[in-house]
Amino acid sequence: MNNIHILSSDITTLHCDAIVNAANRSLLGGGGVDGAIHRAAGPELLEDCRGLHGCRTGEAKITKGYRLPAKFVIHTVGPVYSGAPGDAVLLADCYRNSLDLARENGVRTIAFPAISTGVYGYPVREATKIAVDTVHKWLADNSDYPMDVTFCCFDERTRKVYEEQTARI
Ligand code: ADP
C-alpha cells in the first residue's frame, strides 16, 4: 500500500504532522520512546500532559509537539504483554484510536513507534501483524481522507519484521 512507509529512525527527528508516543497510563513520561519524546519536546510537553490526567490502556490523547519538528504528539498506552487474548484487542485500539484522533485534528502524516514491543514485552512479530492489519483497515475505512502512515522502527530487526508484514497486504 503506497501510503504506508517503513523507516529505521529516531521518531523524535521526524517532520510529520504527528508522532505517536508509546506512553504509560500516567502520561508523565517514562523510559524508551516516551523518555526520548519528552527530552526532545522539552518541559512544556510534561506541563501539558499533567493537565490530561492520564490515559487508559488502548486510548489516545493529543498534545502539541513543542520543540519537536512534529506539530502534535498523540499519546497512547499499549498493553503490557500478558499472553491473554485481550492484549491484541488493546493494541489494535491504540492504533485505531490514535488514527481517529489524528483525523479529528487534521493530521495528514503520522508516525508510529512499535507500541508495546519494548519494556511492555509484546513479541515483535505478533505486535507488528496487529499494527499493520489495523492501520491497513483504518486506511481502507477512511479512504475519503488522505493519510500517510510511517512505521518508525528503532532497530533493523524490527524494520525487517515490518517489511515482511507489509508485504502480505
Ligand atoms: P513500550 O513501553 O510500549 O514497550 P518502549 O518505549 O519501551 O515502549 O518501546 C517501544 C518501541 O519503541 C521499541 O521497539 C523501542 O525500540 C522503540 N524506541 C525506543 N526509542 C525510540 C525512538 N527514539 N524512536 C523510535 N522508536 C523508539
Side-chain angles (χ1 to χ4, degrees):
M1 213 187 216
N2 59 11
N3 43 354
I4 295 183
H5 312 278
I6 300 163
L7 266 187
S8 212
S9 182
D10 174 351
I11 202 165
T12 65
T13 65
L14 299 184
H15 291 255
C16 44
D17 295 339
I19 62 169
V20 176
N21 182 14
N24 57 48
R25 287 155 61 111
S26 76
L27 296 185
L28 299 179
V33 70
D34 195 5
I37 288 173
H38 276 273
R39 276 193 300 279
E44 299 95 330
L45 179 62
L46 184 58
E47 275 313 301
D48 200 344
C49 284
R50 279 191 215 286
L52 298 176
H53 306 293
C55 182
R56 291 197 186 95
T57 305
E59 296 186 358
K61 295 195 176 177
I62 192 164
T63 62
K64 289 189 272 186
Y66 297 98
R67 300 178 198 176
L68 290 165
K71 187 171 175 209
F72 296 108
V73 178
I74 293 176
H75 307 262
T76 189
V77 182
V80 176
Y81 186 71
S82 71
D87 296 346
V89 176
L90 290 169
L91 188 59
D93 286 349
C94 287
Y95 286 93
R96 213 185 35 258
N97 288 328
S98 295
L99 287 164
D100 285 343
L101 192 55
R103 179 176 176 160
E104 283 162 25
N105 285 275
V107 166
R108 299 286 186 182
T109 54
I110 184 168
F112 284 94
I115 300 167
S116 284
T117 66
V119 175
Y120 282 4
Y122 217 115
V124 173
R125 193 169 304 273
E126 276 180 53
T128 304
K129 186 173 187 307
I130 292 161
V132 168
D133 288 352
T134 308
V135 167
H136 185 239
K137 180 168 190 310
W138 189 93
L139 291 172
D141 291 345
N142 290 267
S143 57
D144 60 317
Y145 185 89
M147 180 75 92
D148 212 86
V149 179
T150 296
F151 289 116
C152 180
C153 307
F154 205 45
D155 58 81
E156 273 305 295
R157 189 178 72 92
T158 305
R159 194 184 61 76
K160 286 213 175 73
V161 177
Y162 271 89
E163 297 284 0
E164 277 167 32
Q165 292 298 323
T166 47
R168 289 184 301 115
I169 59 174

